[in-house]
Amino acid sequence: MAVRVLGIDPGLTRCGVGVVDVEGNRSARLVDVTVLRSAPDLPLEQRLLLLAQGLEDMLDRHRPQFIAIERVFAQHNVRTVMGTAQISGVALMLAAKRGLPVTLHTPSEVKAAITGYGAADKKQVGTMVARILGLTEIPQPADAADALALAICHAWRTGASGGTLPTVTSVKAAAIMPGALTPAQKAWRDAERKSVPAVSVVPRSLKR
């Protein structure tokens, strides 16, 4: 049975949202991908409301079992980080209201999961996302692939044993008991602790 994951690449001006179904053999299928937008000249509360409504629509229409959000890291552009953190908080709240488990993934671990290389560029990530999902073209713009990559990474990375699809129980077990992590997951965890990842931004609709 497939697991459905909704990936969110958070941003205040553009927020990428991708939904995929992933089978136990790691094959993945595109369900939907879109970009939610808010105009910079709107009041902050209106921008957050607009994006929240879009996220709610995607959550309620596609009913994912898991939510994956890109982890926010500090960078020189404080305004960008603040906007990313604000919409991430909205997404976390909406997931909690629906009882959905949420995992935050760093850009480096997403790249490692999708391409095998934690410092891959956007073109490499997009190429692999297209190949994994059987798409004839790379999702455009490049940020569209990021939301899908987050969702795929989550399904592949959080299984309690190799090739096993994640369940709410296995995700909690992996978080509580270090011994529940597979060797690959331990390697990813160790690499994450040593890395200093950068922040990505957001996608555009691929499917209409």
Side-chain angles (χ1 to χ4, degrees), residues 5 7 20 22 26 28 68-69 103-115 125 129 132-133 145-159 166 185 188:
V5 185
V20 297
V22 184
R26 294 166 65 93
I69 303 175
T103 303
L104 303 179
H105 296 282
T106 67
S108 59
E109 75 186 31
V110 173
K111 293 173 183 178
I114 300 300
T115 71
V125 172
V129 165
I132 292 164
L133 296 176
D146 290 349
L148 296 170
L150 277 157
I152 296 167
C153 165
H154 182 80
W156 285 2
R157 188 175 184 272
T158 57
Q185 290 168 346
W188 268 315

Side-chain angles (χ1 to χ4, degrees), residues 49-188:
L49 176 61
L50 188 63
L51 295 174
Q53 290 171 339
L55 286 171
E56 287 189 302
D57 176 65
M58 290 290 284
L59 287 165
D60 294 339
R61 279 195 296 115
H62 297 300
R63 299 186 179 279
Q65 295 157 275
F66 295 91
I67 307 296
I69 303 175
E70 184 172 278
R71 187 186 296 274
V72 178
F73 284 91
Q75 63 169 357
H76 295 302
N77 191 335
V78 176
R79 186 174 180 178
T80 297
V81 171
M82 285 294 293
T84 302
Q86 287 162 340
I87 192 58
S88 294
V90 170
L92 287 163
M93 180 272 293
L94 293 175
K97 281 180 63 177
R98 290 160 175 76
L100 297 172
V102 180
T103 303
L104 303 179
H105 296 282
T106 67
S108 59
E109 75 186 31
V110 173
K111 293 173 183 178
I114 300 300
T115 71
Y117 178 49
D121 60 30
K122 286 184 177 293
K123 183 177 181 181
Q124 291 171 316
V125 172
T127 298
M128 287 306 300
V129 165
R131 184 176 300 175
I132 292 164
L133 296 176
L135 305 176
T136 57
E137 296 180 355
I138 296 175
Q140 294 294 332
D143 292 311
D146 290 349
L148 296 170
L150 277 157
I152 296 167
C153 165
H154 182 80
W156 285 2
R157 188 175 184 272
T158 57
S161 61
T164 301
L165 290 173
T167 64
V168 174
T169 301
S170 70
V171 170
K172 290 181 178 178
I176 296 171
M177 299 182 296
L181 296 174
T182 66
Q185 290 168 346
K186 291 176 182 177
W188 268 315

